[in-house]
């Protein structure tokens, strides 16, 4: 079994073979295609429960597997995190009142101006494709639009730092230095992760750090970069459902996630949007 011969670095990071890139490419494409299709389901009056139902049906229709259903007791095919929900928002659960809402809406129905992150992970032939992106309901507030742009740019700057010989600290620094120069903050309580034939593997991919810190990047490493950026303070708290993470100061939060593989000269993004819809204002 090739598994037993796989090289693992001293930091516990698996080095995959050339042929393994094909598996990740397939899994990443399926996840990205599903997120492309989600766009038309995000509108005023839709519910996050309906969006998750669509994602579950689409995963079934394609004959692939949801990595999140049954993961640590999680029951849904996606995480849908609206407004000041940082990550792991549960589809179908009431959207928490933002600091701009006087009364809780008490349901999962989207209203004009909401922003949401939808995060999908599928397993295709044993390979994990994990990606998330932002969606806008109706007309966004200018500050929400700016948060989305900065978070997207932060991910792309992190990805631009990926090449053999650079370090994970270089990725974190590229993200943190950009975000903080925009007077926004990087969430510390959640990070990216190695993946491949498993969902979450070493290393923890921090979205903050110092140049040259952490493990050295090598060709064949597979991992996610998935920065969460807040308009206010970086601290989070988890609600009593044990999943939903919100900003402590109830400021707006955004996130984008790609799964990538390190190549000889840089990296390959496995979860590029086939319809070029990764950013909500594209396509
Ligand atoms: N897809 C998330 C990530 O980026 C993990 C979600 S786990 C779940 O790592 F159980 F909350 F779905
Ligand atoms: Co991830
Ligand atoms: Co994810």
């Amino acid at each position: 079994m090739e598994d037993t011969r796989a090289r693992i670095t001293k930091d516990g990071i698996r080095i995959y073979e050339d042929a393994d890139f094909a598996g990740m490419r397939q899994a990443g494409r399926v996840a990205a295609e599903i997120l492309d299709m989600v766009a038309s389901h995000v509108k005023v009056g839709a519910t996050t429960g309906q969006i998750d139902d669509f994602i579950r049906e689409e995963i079934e229709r394609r004959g692939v597997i949801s990595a999140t259903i049954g993961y640590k007791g999680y029951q849904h095919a996606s995480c849908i995190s609206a407004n000041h929900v940082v990550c792991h928002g549960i589809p179908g659960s009431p959207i928490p009142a933002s600091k701009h809402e006087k009364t809780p809406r008490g349901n999962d129905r989207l209203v004009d101006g909401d922003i949401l992150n939808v995060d999908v992970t599928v397993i295709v032939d044993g390979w994990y494709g994990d990606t998330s992106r932002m969606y806008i309901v109706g007309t966004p507030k200018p500050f929400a639009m700016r948060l989305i742009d900065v978070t997207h740019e932060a991910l792309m700057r992190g990805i631009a730092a990926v090449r053999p010989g650079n370090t994970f600290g270089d990725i974190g620094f590229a993200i943190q230095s950009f975000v903080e120069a925009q007077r926004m903050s990087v969430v510390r309580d959640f990070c990216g992760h190695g993946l491949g034939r498993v969902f979450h593997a070493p290393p923890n991919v921090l979205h903050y750090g110092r140049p040259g810190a952490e493990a050295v990047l090598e060709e064949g490493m597979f991992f996610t970069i998935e920065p969460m950026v807040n308009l206010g303070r970086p601290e989070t708290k988890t609600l009593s459902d044990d999943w939903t993470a919100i900003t402590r100061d109830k400021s707006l939060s955004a996130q984008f996630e790609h799964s990538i593989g390190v190549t000889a000269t840089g990296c390959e993004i496995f979860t590029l949007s086939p319809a070029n819809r990764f950013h909500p204002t594209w396509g």
Side-chain angles (χ1 to χ4, degrees):
M1 170 106 180
E2 65 181 305
D3 261 298
T4 58
R5 294 159 46 110
R7 189 162 86 77
I8 309 284
T9 69
K10 66 174 167 49
D11 302 290
I13 305 167
R14 180 163 174 172
I15 304 299
Y16 286 94
E17 308 290 317
D18 278 1
D20 299 334
F21 279 73
M24 287 301 286
R25 211 170 279 147
Q26 273 212 335
R29 195 189 54 234
V30 170
E33 280 174 0
I34 293 170
L35 287 189
D36 281 350
M37 300 177 80
V38 163
S40 63
H41 294 259
V42 175
K43 51 193 169 200
V44 172
T47 67
T48 62
Q50 288 166 349
I51 295 168
D52 187 69
D53 287 344
F54 166 75
I55 293 168
R56 184 190 294 103
E57 284 160 19
E58 196 54 35
I59 288 172
E60 273 166 27
R61 192 182 70 77
R62 291 162 181 261
V64 301
I65 297 168
S66 164
T68 56
I69 297 172
Y71 177 78
K72 295 186 176 172
Y74 195 76
Q75 305 269 338
H76 307 274
S78 63
C79 297
I80 303 183
S81 304
N83 302 327
H84 70 294
V85 178
V86 173
C87 63
H88 301 165
I90 301 174
S93 66
I95 294 172
S98 76
K99 70 176 181 190
H100 308 284
E101 283 170 305
K102 288 184 194 68
T103 52
R105 64 186 83 170
N107 59 45
D108 64 335
R109 206 166 289 286
L110 300 176
V111 304
D112 187 55
D114 281 345
I115 61 168
L116 43 154
N117 174 278
V118 180
D119 190 339
V120 169
T121 310
V122 293
I123 312 170
V124 180
D125 291 337
W127 296 97
Y128 284 69
D130 183 7
T131 181
S132 80
R133 51 176 101 146
M134 297 302 295
Y135 299 84
I136 297 165
V137 182
T139 310
K141 302 276 188 287
F143 58 83
M145 205 55 246
R146 227 188 117 240
L147 171 67
I148 289 171
D149 285 340
V150 167
T151 309
H152 175 266
E153 176 71 15
L155 169 61
M156 298 324 283
R157 286 182 182 227
I159 290 174
V162 176
R163 76 182 73 97
N166 275 6
T167 71
F168 283 94
D170 294 329
I171 300 172
F173 178 74
I175 294 168
Q176 181 185 13
S177 57
F178 173 69
V179 168
E180 291 179 353
Q182 311 302 313
R183 309 195 60 81
M184 299 182 193
S185 66
V186 174
V187 169
R188 311 289 203 273
D189 299 339
F190 300 92
C191 57
H193 50 92
L195 84 173
R197 273 190 281 223
V198 291
F199 196 171
H200 292 111
N204 287 332
V205 180
L206 307 181
H207 303 113
Y208 57 93
R210 305 306 313 167
E214 312 291 341
V216 177
L217 296 165
E218 291 184 47
E219 184 177 358
M221 289 179 174
F222 294 166
F223 54 89
T224 72
I225 306 180
E226 48 181 300
M228 284 141 274
V229 174
N230 300 345
L231 274 182
R233 304 255 334 143
E235 292 80 13
T236 72
K237 75 170 183 188
T238 301
L239 299 184
S240 59
D241 59 25
D242 282 343
W243 284 105
T244 310
I246 65 168
T247 54
R248 275 194 183 268
D249 64 5
K250 296 201 176 179
S251 67
L252 221 51
S253 187
Q255 179 180 27
F256 286 87
E257 173 175 27
H258 271 315
S259 297
I260 70 176
V262 183
T263 63
T265 55
C267 73
E268 176 175 346
I269 302 174
F270 298 127
T271 46
L272 285 175
S273 163
N276 196 30
R277 260 181 225 155
F278 189 65
H279 186 289
T281 64
W282 297 350

